[in-house]
Amino acid sequence: MRRMDYKRRKFFALYESRRKVLQSVARNQNLDISLRWWAQLEKSKLPRQSSLSRVHNHCIDTNRSRSVLSFYKLSRLQFRRLVAKGSFSGLRKACW
C-alpha cells in the first residue's frame, strides 16, 4: 500500500498543473461553451490515480492509514504511546 500511495503522490505532482488549468477553463463562465466542454473532456482523460482525493496519509511507524495526525504523520495510537513515554517536549498525557 505504501508503494501505491507513493505512486499516487507522484502522479498528482506530475498532473497537478494541467488539472488546475483545465479546471479553471472549464469553470470560467465568460468562455465559449464548446471550449469549456473540451476542457472538461480533456480533464476526464487524465489518469484517475493523479487525483488528490486518492492520496492517503499513512503512519510512518506502523503504516496505519486510519486516524493519522497529519502534522506528526503518526497514527493516534502511536502518538499516544510516544506522548506517554515523553518523546515530545511540551506534550503530556492528560491527567484524570
Side-chain angles (χ1 to χ4, degrees), residues 5 7-8 16 27 35 38 40 51-53 56 61-62 66 72-73 75-76 84 90 93 95-96:
D5 192 52
K7 185 177 177 182
R8 286 177 180 158
E16 179 184 17
R27 287 191 177 181
L35 180 64
W38 171 83
Q40 189 67 32
S51 175
L52 182 62
S53 62
H56 296 284
D61 284 345
T62 60
R66 295 182 178 203
Y72 296 104
K73 295 181 182 166
S75 66
R76 64 179 179 82
K93 188 174 176 186
C95 300
W96 56 83

Side-chain angles (χ1 to χ4, degrees), residues 53-68:
S53 62
R54 292 197 170 244
V55 174
H56 296 284
N57 289 330
H58 289 274
C59 176
I60 56 175
D61 284 345
T62 60
N63 201 26
R64 182 181 164 92
S65 64
R66 295 182 178 203
S67 68
V68 175

Side-chain angles (χ1 to χ4, degrees), residues 1 8 14 36 45 47 52 66 70 72 77 80 90 95:
M1 290 308 270
R8 286 177 180 158
L14 186 66
R36 293 175 57 207
K45 291 178 186 175
L52 182 62
R66 295 182 178 203
S70 60
Y72 296 104
L77 304 172
R80 282 189 69 213
C95 300

Side-chain angles (χ1 to χ4, degrees), residues 8-92:
R8 286 177 180 158
R9 287 177 192 271
K10 194 167 81 171
F11 268 137
F12 171 71
L14 186 66
Y15 289 103
E16 179 184 17
S17 60
R18 178 183 261 175
R19 187 180 292 274
K20 293 253 186 199
V21 168
L22 291 172
Q23 183 70 22
S24 65
V25 170
R27 287 191 177 181
N28 191 348
Q29 297 284 330
N30 297 326
L31 296 177
D32 187 38
I33 190 72
S34 61
L35 180 64
R36 293 175 57 207
W37 181 256
W38 171 83
Q40 189 67 32
L41 285 176
E42 287 298 313
K43 196 177 92 163
S44 69
K45 291 178 186 175
L46 293 176
R48 288 193 319 188
Q49 300 295 342
S50 67
S51 175
L52 182 62
S53 62
R54 292 197 170 244
V55 174
H56 296 284
N57 289 330
H58 289 274
C59 176
I60 56 175
D61 284 345
T62 60
N63 201 26
R64 182 181 164 92
S65 64
R66 295 182 178 203
S67 68
V68 175
L69 303 173
S70 60
F71 184 76
Y72 296 104
K73 295 181 182 166
L74 293 170
S75 66
R76 64 179 179 82
L77 304 172
Q78 194 66 16
F79 183 74
R80 282 189 69 213
R81 286 189 197 113
L82 292 174
V83 167
K85 281 185 185 176
S87 298
F88 293 108
S89 61
L91 295 175
R92 66 186 179 95

